[in-house]
Amino acid sequence: MVRRDVDGSVTVRAVPAVPDDLQRIARKAPETFLARRILLCEGSTELGMCLVLEDVLKRPWAHVGATLAKGSGSEAAARAQRFNDLGYGVALLVDSDVQIRPSPE
């Protein structure tokens, strides 16, 4: 994990291996792993809505230290939990008709 502190110093911290269910995100959107916060969107609709919001507001998510990532439907809650386990601040945006919960540990 790469972080810039308030005083401007940069720290790099090794994290455990990227879990298998996050490998797709690591390959398609590696910048996700450089952000402080992740807005994990359940699917394409939510991701598209956030991209339009970014365009309308004329302010990228990066201005608040965040990036967008696609959560892959019913797996989104578990993926959000994995990012949280790695130490990222995570918000999950879903619109599922079925209640979605992270799996118990």
Side-chain angles (χ1 to χ4, degrees), residues 39-43 46 73 76-77 91-98 100:
L39 177 51
L40 194 66
C41 302
E42 177 192 7
E46 294 79 14
L92 179 61
L93 178 62
V94 298
D95 72 342
S96 179
D97 294 333
V98 179
I100 298 175

Side-chain angles (χ1 to χ4, degrees), residues 7-92:
D7 65 0
S9 63
V10 176
T11 57
V12 179
R13 178 174 65 93
V15 295
V18 175
D20 290 342
D21 60 340
L22 298 182
Q23 286 295 330
R24 176 178 284 170
I25 294 172
R27 285 190 295 275
K28 289 189 175 220
E31 67 277 6
T32 302
F33 293 88
L34 296 175
R36 288 183 176 274
R37 298 174 193 94
I38 299 168
L39 177 51
L40 194 66
C41 302
E42 177 192 7
S44 298
T45 303
E46 294 79 14
L47 183 61
M49 183 179 76
C50 289
L51 291 171
V52 167
L53 183 60
E54 181 179 66
D55 190 49
V56 167
L57 297 176
K58 307 256 187 272
R59 187 167 188 172
W61 290 100
H63 276 207
V64 293
T67 190
L68 303 173
K70 193 171 171 184
S72 295
S74 62
E75 298 173 21
R79 287 186 179 182
Q81 184 64 52
R82 297 285 183 282
F83 276 118
N84 184 67
D85 294 344
L86 290 172
Y88 291 92
V90 183
L92 179 61

